Structure formats: C-alpha cells, structure tokens
Amino acid sequence: MAALLEPPPPFLNQLLPPNSTSTRPLPYNLRLGRPTNSPNHPTLLAATTPCCSAATSEQPIPQLPDPVPETALVRTRDRRRAVRLAWEKLVRWSRTWRSKTKTDVLERTNKVVVLGGGSFATAMASHVANRKSQMEVSILVRDAQVCQSINSNQCNRKYFPEHKLPENVIATTDAKAALLGADYCFHAVPVQFSSAFLEGIAEHVYPGLPFISVSKGLELNTLRTMSQIIPQALKNPRQPFIALSGPSFALELMNKLPTAMVVASKDKKLANAAQQLLACDYLRISTSSDVVGVEVAGALKNVLAIAAGIVDGMNLGNNCKTALVAQGCSEIRWLAMKMGAKPATITGLSGIGDIMLTCFVNLSRNRTVGVRLGSGEQLDDILSSMNQVAEGVSTAGAVIALAQKYKVKMPVLTAVARIIDNELTPKKAVLELMSLPQVEEV
C-alpha cells in the first residue's frame, strides 16, 4: 500500500491546472502507470483528464493485462467440463457393454487342456483356471519332473518357482487322459516341434475341439504357420482354429498385471467364444478375422527382436535401434500385406504392440539372443545355455524364403538370417545396412 501512495513523477505535477490550489501529491498506481482513479480526487481528475489524454497520445504508457482474464477462466472451466463429460460417457458405455457381455461360454466350459509345459503354457493354464474354480485345467507335459512338481507342489519350479498354481490345475504326461472331454485346447508347443507332436496325439483329438494357438513362428522347411500345421498334422482340415497373440510376457500374466491380446479366427463366433473364455479385469481380449496378419506379425517380430538385441549388444545407441526397428516394422508390413494381411493388423496389438514389447524389453528371449550375439558370443553357446526356445532363430531362415517367394526386399531381417547362419558378422551387417541406397520412405 505504501508503494501505491508514493509521490507522482514530476511530469504529472506539471499537468495540474495553473489556478489549482491543491498541494496534495497525486496518488500513483504503480501497476497501471497512471494517477489512481480515486473518488478522493474528483476535481483533480476532472481537471487532468484531457491533459493526461494528450500526454498519452504522445507517449502512450503500456497497460499490463489482467493476470487471469475472465474469458480464460471460462474457457478452462468449459474444457474441464467437456473432458469430465467425455470420461463419464465412456464409463457409462463400458458398464452397459459389460452388462450385456455373455458369460455362457465360461459357464459351459468344464475342461481345458494345455499342450506344453513351458512358461506361457503354464501362465495360460493358471489364468484359465482362475477364471472358474470348478473347471479342470489339464497340462500335457513331456517332462516327468515338471509333472510331479505341478501335482505335488502346485508349482512349475522350472519356470515359476515362486508362483502357486490354482488347485484345479493338473499335470499329466498321458495325452489321452489330458484330451478326454476337453472343451478347448491351448497349443503352446514350439512351432518347429508342433507337427511331429500333434501327429503323435492326433488319435485322441476330437474333430470339433477348438485349438487356441499361442505358438509363434514359421516352420523352417515348409514355411507353414500354426493355422496350417494344426489341421494338416491332425488330418482334419476343419479343425477349429484360433490364434492368440499380442504383447504379453508370461511372468506379467502370472502376476495378473494389465494386459491386452488378440484372438483371431475366420469363424467370428469362435473368436467371440475365446474372448469370453479369456477376458477378465486384467486381460483385455480383442477379436479379429485376420488370422494371416496376426500369425505373420507374431512370427516375424521374433526375428526383428534379435536384430534389436544385436544393436544393444554392440552399444550402438537408441537412435540406431529405433531406426532399425522402424525399418523392420515396414518390412513386416510389406510381406504380411503381400500374403493377404490387413494393414490395421500390423499397426495393432498383435503387430506393432507385440513388436515394441519384444524389441525393447529385457524379458524377451529373442532380444536376449541378439544382445549376446552383438556382444560377441557364439550362437551355439547361447542356445545351449537357455532353458526356453527363441523362435526367432529358426524362423529367420523361413522369413527369407517367404520374402523371395513374394518378391519383397527385407534387408534388416535378411541380415539377421545371415548372422544366424554365421555368414555375416554383426559389425559387417550394420555397415552394409547403413550403406544401403538413400530412398524414399514407403
């Protein structure tokens, strides 16, 4: 307040009328830079107004805007109200949709069989068993020790020693007992072993049993995907098939962390049934009819993850890795579309979503192989030290054969295949990739 009542500058006193008898100093408003418009000086203000206007026209004194204009406050309130209404509308829609969602598939399902005793097979068995305690979930394994561990301790000590499995999970090495009466079958056997495995159990498979495949890759010699391997191995071209894919690590699924995946089937009712069976509070399931896109993206992303790991192993930096992954995504899109996939699938959960997870996160087996290759280790030593299969190693050769078949240039994925075949060193591969012609991005 004291600052606002300081004496005015000399030039304001000169603006007083000659016959003025007032000797009081003008109150001076420092914020406005002009005499205070105060009722205490009505005569003075009336007398000085014309003079001040004249002075202002010659030397205008800038006026600072109000710190928070009323119009800005109104706009902020309107924006916040619009956001709140949009969110409330979304929540209402979600609740309405959930109330209409059918659960009859889960109610009718009494037994599920999981083929394979690996990490993702175990995670899927645990997840499905948690969906319904009255459901029997049978895991068909080949390792007797894993079988005993699950049945005696409700724990797969090989992959999840600290996680207890639900009581309704039972392991067995007997294919007939596992498949008898099953309503759904999850296939989690590595692609390269799937054909021989399925041929061995074909006699116990009911022709109408829906297969939900979580195996990702291409068969090396035949270039077949799981949607082709399963019906041919079972000698039943009409065997119901669903591909389950998307960014999902088994460990996080076991920990019930929020996850989103895709079920793809040419039969829309079958895809919807798998969605009902699997979807819950922490697992979102989208449906798709693009089986080719989901499978091709799921197979090729493993090869690209090896390339991303090589860059990390060579300490080439984030710029290099991001450019390489972006190029790899384009290569996957080119090939998948030539094979009949939809572009939206490649940019969705089972495409870019799965690629990001596999290429940039340490839990990825394929990325780990790449890191060790980039660090100078030999492939045989790397594979012999792993207790899980890195599908990208065997898929790489099949990818190049597909690229030649569909006449698609795939420099990044081709380089990975040559490194795996020990025909090119990681350092040489990077130099050759950086020396490629500068072309328009497509």
Side-chain angles (χ1 to χ4, degrees):
M1 181 63 71
L4 295 177
L5 297 178
E6 289 178 1
F11 80 92
L12 286 180
N13 287 326
Q14 295 173 6
L15 297 178
L16 290 171
N19 58 352
S20 173
T21 58
S22 174
T23 59
R24 287 186 300 170
L26 283 172
Y28 189 70
N29 189 319
L30 294 179
R31 184 172 70 85
L32 299 178
R34 55 183 172 79
T36 303
N37 188 7
S38 170
N40 295 330
H41 303 80
T43 306
L44 177 61
L45 288 175
T48 59
T49 297
C51 299
C52 287
S53 299
T56 303
S57 63
E58 294 177 2
Q59 295 182 349
I61 301 173
Q63 296 187 13
L64 299 177
D66 193 10
V68 185
E70 184 177 354
T71 54
L73 290 174
V74 171
R75 285 197 298 268
T76 299
R77 285 196 297 267
D78 290 345
R79 177 186 60 79
R80 290 178 177 175
R81 181 174 180 273
V83 172
R84 185 178 67 255
L85 291 176
W87 177 255
E88 291 174 353
K89 184 177 180 180
L90 178 64
V91 171
R92 286 196 302 272
W93 169 80
S94 176
R95 289 173 180 169
T96 302
W97 183 267
R98 287 200 303 270
S99 67
K100 294 180 180 179
T101 301
K102 297 180 180 179
T103 59
D104 54 329
V105 170
L106 187 61
E107 292 171 357
R108 294 196 313 265
T109 302
N110 298 312
K111 182 177 180 180
V112 168
V113 60
V114 179
L115 306 180
S119 60
F120 209 85
T122 305
M124 290 309 302
S126 177
H127 170 69
V128 175
N130 279 320
R131 294 279 288 138
K132 181 180 175 182
S133 60
Q134 298 85 2
M135 184 193 306
E136 179 186 341
V137 179
S138 182
I139 305 181
L140 179 60
V141 299
R142 62 177 181 175
D143 191 331
Q145 292 183 346
V146 171
C147 181
Q148 183 180 3
S149 172
I150 292 175
N151 292 334
S152 301
N153 306 305
Q154 290 304 121
C155 173
N156 188 336
R157 290 181 176 177
K158 188 174 182 180
Y159 298 106
F160 298 110
E162 299 180 358
H163 290 77
K164 282 287 184 181
L165 298 175
E167 294 294 330
N168 51 331
V169 174
I170 302 170
T172 180
T173 56
D174 185 346
K176 182 179 180 180
L179 289 160
L180 184 63
D183 298 302
Y184 290 91
C185 176
F186 285 84
H187 184 280
V189 178
V191 173
Q192 306 309 320
F193 308 109
S194 291
S195 185
F197 172 79
L198 289 168
E199 288 173 0
I201 66 170
E203 61 178 311
H204 307 301
V205 177
Y206 171 63
L209 178 62
F211 270 69
I212 303 175
S213 175
V214 298
S215 303
K216 300 176 182 179
L218 299 170
E219 197 171 45
L220 185 56
N221 296 322
T222 65
L223 311 183
R224 294 184 300 174
T225 60
M226 289 308 306
S227 62
Q228 298 167 321
I229 293 172
I230 289 176
Q232 291 177 22
L234 298 176
K235 296 180 174 57
N236 178 17
R238 296 183 178 276
Q239 193 77 45
F241 177 84
I242 307 157
L244 175 61
S245 187
S248 51
F249 284 138
L251 177 61
E252 295 189 2
L253 195 58
M254 287 289 286
N255 290 333
K256 300 182 180 180
L257 297 179
T259 303
M261 302 180 72
V262 176
V263 287
S265 178
K266 294 179 181 179
D267 185 337
K268 186 175 181 179
K269 291 183 178 179
L270 195 57
N272 290 335
Q275 182 185 52
Q276 290 182 43
L277 179 66
L278 295 171
C280 68
D281 292 342
Y282 62 88
L283 179 59
R284 286 181 55 84
I285 299 291
S286 300
T287 59
S288 172
S289 60
D290 186 8
V291 177
V292 172
V294 169
E295 287 198 288
V296 171
L300 271 60
K301 59 97 181 179
N302 287 328
V303 184
L304 182 56
I306 295 175
I310 289 172
V311 171
D312 281 334
M314 296 176 67
N315 296 315
L316 297 180
N318 293 316
N319 290 350
C320 179
K321 182 169 66 173
T322 305
L324 178 137
V325 171
Q327 170 65 25
C329 288
S330 295
E331 295 176 14
I332 292 173
R333 173 170 52 87
W334 299 335
L335 179 60
M337 290 179 63
K338 280 289 188 74
M339 295 176 68
K342 300 176 183 177
T345 303
I346 309 305
T347 58
L349 270 175
S350 59
I352 297 296
D354 212 357
I355 289 170
M356 287 192 294
L357 185 77
T358 312
C359 290
F360 292 99
V361 182
N362 294 335
L363 290 174
S364 167
R365 298 190 299 268
N366 292 281
R367 179 186 171 277
T368 299
V369 170
V371 171
R372 295 176 67 176
L373 283 171
S375 302
E377 293 187 53
Q378 296 299 310
L379 182 61
D380 290 341
D381 296 334
I382 297 170
L383 297 180
S384 63
S385 67
M386 298 177 66
N387 66 348
Q388 298 187 71
V389 176
E391 289 281 11
V393 174
S394 53
T395 301
V399 168
I400 306 312
L402 274 178
Q404 293 172 348
K405 178 180 178 180
Y406 288 94
K407 296 180 174 58
V408 177
K409 290 183 174 63
M410 307 179 74
V412 169
L413 301 188
T414 302
V416 174
R418 288 179 59 80
I419 291 171
I420 288 174
D421 290 340
N422 204 27
E423 294 178 355
L424 195 65
T425 64
K427 183 176 181 180
K428 182 68 174 176
V430 171
L431 291 174
E432 291 188 4
L433 288 173
M434 289 300 294
S435 301
L436 291 173
Q438 315 290 323
V439 296
E440 181 180 0
E441 185 176 47
V442 292

